[in-house]
Amino acid sequence: MEDHLTLCDIGNTSYHFLKDERDTKESVATFDPSTLTEDVYYISVSPQADALVGNLANWHDLRAYINWDNYYETMGVDRIIACEAIAEGLIIDAGSAITVDLVEEGKFEGGFIYPGLEAMQATYRNISPRLDYSLNFELDLDKMPQNSRDAISYGVLRTLYSEVMRHDQQIYLTGGNAKVLSQLFPTAIVDEHLLFKGMKKMMEKRC
Amino acid sequence: MEDHLTLCDIGNTSYHFLKDERDTKESVATFDPSTLTEDVYYISVSPQADALVGNLANWHDLRAYINWDNYYETMGVDRIIACEAIAEGLIIDAGSAITVDLVEEGKFEGGFIYPGLEAMQATYRNISPRLDYSLNFELDLDKMPQNSRDAISYGVLRTLYSEVMRHDQQIYLTGGNAKVLSQLFPTAIVDEHLLFKGMKKMMEKRC
């Protein structure tokens, strides 16, 4: 395994790079991938980025490495790569969307998509200016709220929490909001490099 | 109790009228409340409507009838009125927002706010055009999804369901999406006039 490879996980909003164990981010809206001359091994869920990197000979799409027997056709490649990284557990990838995927005995057993935390806050704000609150991550999960900020925080976080905890699985947290969500899931393993681990594993399988 | 009173529940998007046991709706964006000459007893969560009806002598705000010892200051008056309608249970009022409120032994015990179904669909669509799906209300709630439409439907509906069912209470469903949500909650009592019942009860208390 060559650790000086450049890996890139392209989400809806960011290019997330890993090279020599250091990670950096660039914006999907502004970054020009043709400025890189080295080989880049990537996954992407961004139609906008796909249109740019698809024509570049040094950008290699790891989508080609996926065994599609284990996944469904329209499943986001980021979710698939995350599932490849673990043998057992529930993966929460908290970015612009929050994906929750179940892996049992090395096999993907289904998953769901919840809106990202920023998207949810915007949703409330758009319903009514009276619902414009920042989320309270120190919310008491065992008490129905008695104030507006907690009523909204509970609506976003407790609903997700109730469903996640029902599965009684080891939780893996990754994505840009992994750390903030770990306040809700104190027993979760936070691993912001989980997708890069999945990418490396897939590349090793092929070697 | 005079049943020929005109009652009006003003939400974020609609004026919902009840008169002589018949209900009608008008849009908050376009309806002019000064066109009504009879006495109207109303509640409102719309700042836009408040600005219009507040100056009309024949529009009577039932907010004045609320005993605020039982509720919190910024709580939507629609939620309060719904709580006044029942003695025990969990009220789901599914409109542009979905409010979930717990009443035990006639007392409000807290509640939360979830985005409305249309708002949630718009949220996914705004995150990515690849997440633009209509919700599947016939979703299998006991199986983690294996396709995109169900992954999103589950994200919206199963999370809410998991939290709601945890309370093990009689569910009351009201609001514009009460019927569609009753597919998820088959034991729920659907009552699209629940808020009007609460309004009548409050007016009776004062008489």
Side-chain angles (χ1 to χ4, degrees):
Chain A
M1 189 65 224
E2 304 182 82
D3 272 339
H4 57 271
L5 283 175
T6 300
L7 301 176
C8 185
D9 159 32
I10 313 177
N12 290 303
T13 56
S14 303
Y15 290 76
H16 190 191
F17 289 98
L18 185 77
K19 191 186 179 179
D20 300 330
E21 297 304 309
R22 285 200 45 189
D23 65 317
T24 53
K25 283 193 178 179
E26 300 287 348
S27 162
V28 163
T30 56
F31 180 69
D32 177 1
S34 73
T35 56
L36 292 187
T37 53
E38 77 250 44
D39 280 318
V40 181
Y41 297 85
Y42 77 94
I43 57 165
S44 168
V45 296
S46 163
Q48 192 182 343
D50 284 346
L52 297 177
V53 299
N55 300 316
L56 302 173
N58 61 319
W59 284 71
H60 309 284
D61 192 348
L62 293 178
R63 191 177 182 85
Y65 292 38
I66 294 169
N67 177 356
W68 285 94
D69 294 345
N70 303 328
Y71 303 99
Y72 64 85
E73 199 186 332
T74 56
M75 187 170 168
V77 64
D78 49 352
R79 294 171 60 194
I80 294 174
I81 296 291
C83 290
E84 292 287 330
I86 69 166
E88 184 96 19
L90 198 72
I91 301 162
I92 304 178
D93 186 348
S96 56
I98 298 173
T99 54
V100 180
D101 288 304
L102 179 62
V103 178
E104 287 179 314
E105 298 178 6
K107 193 169 169 293
F108 168 67
E109 292 292 348
F112 67 91
I113 307 175
Y114 195 69
L117 299 177
E118 290 82 4
M120 281 298 259
Q121 279 180 253
T123 303
Y124 285 94
R125 190 166 57 235
N126 292 339
I127 293 170
S128 166
R130 291 180 185 176
L131 302 182
D132 187 10
Y133 287 93
S134 65
L135 298 179
N136 176 15
F137 291 92
E138 285 158 16
L139 178 75
D140 183 349
L141 292 171
D142 292 324
K143 209 186 157 326
M144 285 283 262
Q146 298 265 6
N147 65 71
S148 291
R149 186 183 176 212
D150 284 355
I152 283 158
S153 304
Y154 193 102
V156 177
L157 302 172
R158 217 317 170 179
T159 49
L160 178 65
Y161 178 89
S162 294
E163 170 54 20
V164 163
M165 296 310 281
R166 205 174 62 82
H167 294 276
D168 196 21
Q169 284 278 352
Q170 173 63 55
I171 298 165
Y172 292 84
L173 269 170
T174 191
N177 281 323
K179 264 198 196 121
V180 81
L181 268 190
S182 70
Q183 294 171 80
L184 283 191
F185 303 105
T187 62
I189 294 166
V190 177
D191 186 349
E192 283 159 7
H193 287 189
L194 190 72
L195 269 73
F196 295 125
K197 285 182 185 163
M199 290 166 81
K200 286 181 189 173
K201 265 201 189 173
M202 287 206 98
M203 291 175 75
E204 279 165 10
K205 265 195 205 171
R206 283 277 286 234
C207 294
Chain B
M1 188 67 224
E2 304 181 82
D3 272 340
H4 58 270
L5 282 176
T6 301
L7 300 177
C8 185
D9 158 32
I10 313 177
N12 289 302
T13 55
S14 304
Y15 290 77
H16 190 190
F17 288 98
L18 185 76
K19 190 185 178 179
D20 299 330
E21 297 304 309
R22 286 200 45 190
D23 64 318
T24 53
K25 284 193 179 180
E26 300 288 347
S27 161
V28 164
T30 56
F31 180 69
D32 177 1
S34 73
T35 55
L36 291 187
T37 53
E38 76 248 45
D39 280 317
V40 181
Y41 297 85
Y42 76 94
I43 56 165
S44 168
V45 296
S46 162
Q48 192 182 342
D50 283 346
L52 298 177
V53 298
N55 300 316
L56 302 173
N58 61 320
W59 283 72
H60 309 284
D61 192 348
L62 292 179
R63 192 178 181 83
Y65 291 38
I66 295 169
N67 178 356
W68 285 94
D69 294 345
N70 302 330
Y71 303 99
Y72 64 84
E73 199 186 333
T74 56
M75 186 170 170
V77 65
D78 50 351
R79 294 171 59 194
I80 294 173
I81 295 291
C83 290
E84 292 287 330
I86 69 165
E88 184 96 18
L90 198 72
I91 301 161
I92 305 178
D93 185 349
S96 57
I98 298 173
T99 54
V100 180
D101 288 304
L102 179 62
V103 178
E104 288 180 314
E105 298 178 4
K107 193 169 167 294
F108 168 65
E109 292 292 347
F112 68 90
I113 307 174
Y114 194 69
L117 299 177
E118 291 81 4
M120 281 297 259
Q121 279 180 252
T123 302
Y124 286 94
R125 190 164 60 234
N126 292 338
I127 292 169
S128 166
R130 292 180 185 176
L131 302 182
D132 187 10
Y133 287 93
S134 65
L135 299 179
N136 176 14
F137 291 92
E138 285 158 17
L139 178 74
D140 183 349
L141 292 171
D142 292 323
K143 206 183 159 328
M144 284 283 263
Q146 297 265 7
N147 66 70
S148 292
R149 186 183 177 212
D150 285 355
I152 283 158
S153 304
Y154 193 103
V156 176
L157 302 172
R158 217 314 172 183
T159 50
L160 178 65
Y161 179 88
S162 294
E163 170 55 20
V164 162
M165 296 310 282
R166 204 174 63 83
H167 294 276
D168 195 22
Q169 285 277 353
Q170 173 63 54
I171 298 166
Y172 292 83
L173 269 169
T174 190
N177 282 324
K179 266 200 194 119
V180 81
L181 270 189
S182 70
Q183 294 171 80
L184 283 191
F185 303 106
T187 62
I189 295 166
V190 177
D191 185 350
E192 283 159 7
H193 287 189
L194 190 71
L195 270 74
F196 295 125
K197 284 183 186 164
M199 290 166 80
K200 285 181 189 171
K201 265 201 188 172
M202 287 204 97
M203 292 174 74
E204 278 165 10
K205 264 195 205 170
R206 283 276 286 235
C207 295

